[in-house]
Amino acid sequence: MSKFLDLRTTQNASYANSISIPISGTGTPQFIGQVGLDVSGATGTIRVGLYGTVAVQLPLLPVTSSITLTVVEGTNITPEQGIVYSASQVLEANILGPTILTFNGTRFNAPVPPAGQVLAYSLFISTNALGLERVGPESFSAIAVSD
């Protein structure tokens, strides 16, 4: 039977069209949110469920673009901070309204952090097109369980 360890959520926008944050079109990942899980009571293999929603709006001038959501273990996208989940979606130029991107990923056999530290996960977004915006809703959650 699994043992519940922790559940955390970060929510930047609760409603549709409640924010307007431009996304850099350079392909450079932009930070969305971070959660830190207390897994100090783990008694075996740690499994983490990762869930998120990000709504984006294409620019007024139609352009086909690619959006990538990336979750890393830790705080930055670096070779030292492993990518644990990544998903890409092509948005066609004929989309008129906001597009809601959702994901549901897992991290099996997550590492146990040093005593007193949390198991951190960070969500990033990147695109190859200019003029895209994060418009809401937007949230990122993680839940940790162990054997």
Side-chain angles (χ1 to χ4, degrees):
M1 185 165 151
S2 294
K3 176 183 178 182
F4 171 81
L5 298 173
D6 201 5
L7 168 71
R8 299 293 170 160
T9 298
T10 179
Q11 187 146 320
N12 297 329
S14 299
Y15 307 105
N17 298 311
S18 59
I19 59 175
S20 179
I21 301 172
I23 306 169
S24 169
T26 63
T28 301
Q30 180 182 54
F31 178 79
I32 291 180
Q34 182 180 83
V35 292
L37 300 167
D38 178 358
V39 295
S40 58
T43 56
T45 302
I46 300 173
R47 293 177 305 283
V48 177
L50 303 159
Y51 315 92
T53 298
V54 179
V56 297
Q57 175 70 55
L58 289 170
L60 294 176
L61 297 173
V63 60
T64 298
S65 61
S66 174
I67 298 281
T68 300
L69 297 175
T70 304
V71 177
V72 299
E73 206 159 65
T75 57
N76 296 302
I77 296 181
T78 65
E80 297 82 34
Q81 304 279 342
I83 294 175
V84 294
Y85 184 86
S86 180
S88 293
Q89 175 73 38
V90 173
L91 303 178
E92 298 296 331
N94 61 352
I95 297 174
L96 299 178
T99 298
I100 297 177
L101 308 168
T102 61
F103 68 90
N104 179 353
T106 58
R107 171 68 160 110
F108 183 76
N109 203 16
V112 177
Q117 294 186 17
V118 296
L119 185 56
Y121 291 94
S122 301
L123 174 62
F124 294 86
I125 189 169
S126 58
T127 184
N128 63 349
L130 296 173
L132 271 78
E133 290 186 350
R134 297 165 33 208
V135 294
E138 189 171 276
S139 66
F140 175 47
S141 301
I143 182 171
V145 298
S146 70
D147 294 336

